[in-house]
Amino acid sequence: LQSLGGLMGVRIFRNEEVIRQLNEMAHQRAEVEVTDNGTEKSKVRAGTVSKQVWWNLLMRVNKNNQSISERHLDSLIKNRVLKIGLRLQCPECTQRTWFDLEEISERVVCERCLREFDFPASRPPAEEAWHYRVIGPFSVENFAQGSYCVALASNFLGNPISSEITFIPPFCLKSNNGQQQLEADFGIFFRRSQFEKKDPILIIGECKSYDRFLPKDIKRMNRIAQAFPGSVLAFCTMRKQLEPVEKKLISGLAKKGRKHLRAEKWHNPVLVLTGIELFSDSGPPYCWKEAGNSFKAFAQTYKGYEGIQELCNITQQMHLGMEPYWAWYESERIKRQNRRNRKRSDQISTPVQNLGSPIA
């Protein structure tokens, strides 16, 4: 986020294809074409990607709009996500090496065999020799150690046009005696509007790039819920849907969180964000309209008047398969009423014990 200049900069990689390409480059797994014997082309794994490949990708994600694609590529370079260089073949070891612009001179050094060779000035490299490389935090493997998902979730919640947030990236909570520690992937103090006078809402997040939520994650978030009643527990992933086991695990915590803390405030609302929300250029409900299919129906019922709890309610229905809050509330009310009726009935039907002979 520092490299991008804040949450607004997240938009330059708010696309699944772009993030996957950056991750492949960070893992040195990007596929590039090389020419063998001047005729045949084969694909090899490398940490760089040609200018043409990146241009084709950006044209695809920007719906073939050349102007937007140019600005997109320019932003990736200016924000030091990508860096341009040349891939040259060493005449000694025949290996191809990426050279920074600052390294290019009349003689260059091969990083493989460490020998110098003349820059091919008489045979200048063709356009396909210009390659981009990821640098800085974007060169870290495993989706920048999960940072992409954290940044996308914070950007979704911290819409600078309307909401107001104070954000902290991954942190560790310690109890007063220092014996207990709880890790969280992000924390946010959130207000729906910059003009709202209410106390901010605390949102604590657990993020997974493409991994699964495990029982230990639910257990840790449950402990956070106990320590911070009233806080929102956010489960965020770049996957488009959760697996049945994950839904069951998170649903149990979400049901507990729907209980009332005071007045109409839930004890710990659970928010679920997937790639449908995180990769969308639009906030709710437009991100669900774009997703199509069954999500359109949820988009039509979402009004946004009730703040974060309404957002939690709708994402629980979409991503966990839970019933709407008021249907759940009515069901729970009937269950409580039935339990009271059974208890009252049991008390009435219990025979009076014989306490002995009556006093004369």
Side-chain angles (χ1 to χ4, degrees), residues 115-352:
R115 294 188 180 183
E116 286 189 353
F117 63 93
D118 292 331
F119 182 83
S122 60
R123 293 171 283 102
E127 184 177 355
E128 60 263 22
W130 291 98
H131 276 229
Y132 290 110
R133 192 177 206 169
V134 285
I135 58 175
F138 304 95
S139 63
V140 179
E141 299 177 354
N142 298 322
F143 299 98
Q145 292 186 351
S147 296
Y148 289 127
C149 189
V150 173
L152 288 168
S154 303
N155 176 262
F156 177 85
L157 292 167
N159 185 341
I161 298 176
S162 57
S163 59
E164 182 180 37
I165 71 167
T166 298
F167 165 82
I168 183 173
F171 62 96
C172 183
L173 297 164
K174 294 183 179 181
S175 59
N176 290 335
N177 56 17
Q179 295 181 354
Q180 293 187 7
Q181 295 187 9
L182 295 172
E183 295 181 358
D185 288 330
F186 68 83
I188 290 177
F189 280 118
F190 171 88
R191 277 197 183 100
R192 184 171 56 169
S193 169
Q194 298 176 3
F195 306 101
E196 195 174 57
K197 299 303 181 182
K198 297 180 181 178
D199 291 337
I201 298 168
L202 173 62
I203 304 175
I204 298 178
E206 172 69 20
C207 294
K208 300 288 184 183
S209 299
Y210 288 95
D211 292 333
R212 274 55 181 167
F213 294 106
L214 302 175
K216 64 178 183 180
D217 302 317
I218 311 303
K219 183 178 180 181
R220 184 173 63 255
M221 292 294 275
N222 186 43
R223 291 172 63 192
I224 289 176
Q226 294 172 2
F228 296 93
S231 63
V232 175
L233 309 178
F235 291 87
C236 313
T237 177
M238 295 194 294
R239 289 176 290 139
K240 296 296 178 67
Q241 61 180 8
L242 302 178
E243 293 184 353
V245 174
E246 296 175 289
K247 293 180 181 181
K248 184 176 180 180
L249 288 170
I250 301 175
S251 293
L253 190 59
K255 289 177 182 178
K256 290 175 59 178
R258 281 179 166 184
K259 296 178 181 179
H260 283 190
L261 179 64
R262 58 179 179 272
E264 296 299 318
K265 187 172 183 177
W266 299 3
H267 197 280
N268 286 105
V270 168
L271 175 67
V272 183
L273 300 178
T274 68
I276 292 173
E277 291 84 16
L278 301 187
F279 289 125
S280 174
D281 292 330
S282 310
Y286 307 105
C287 56
W288 304 319
K289 290 181 180 179
E290 295 168 358
N293 299 330
S294 59
F295 295 102
K296 286 185 177 181
F298 292 107
Q300 293 172 354
T301 61
Y302 180 79
K303 305 302 179 184
Y305 303 141
E306 299 175 21
I308 195 73
Q309 286 187 182
E310 184 181 2
L311 183 61
C312 291
N313 182 24
I314 205 82
T315 61
Q316 288 174 13
Q317 295 175 57
M318 282 191 297
H319 302 309
L320 300 180
M322 294 176 62
E323 57 186 341
Y325 169 75
W326 286 111
W328 170 87
Y329 180 84
E330 180 63 17
S331 175
E332 291 297 304
R333 187 191 67 79
I334 293 174
K335 288 179 183 178
R336 290 194 299 270
Q337 183 64 44
N338 289 339
R339 284 196 296 268
R340 285 195 292 266
N341 292 339
R342 285 196 299 269
K343 186 177 180 180
R344 190 178 299 111
S345 177
D346 291 341
Q347 291 174 346
I348 294 174
S349 61
T350 301
V352 178

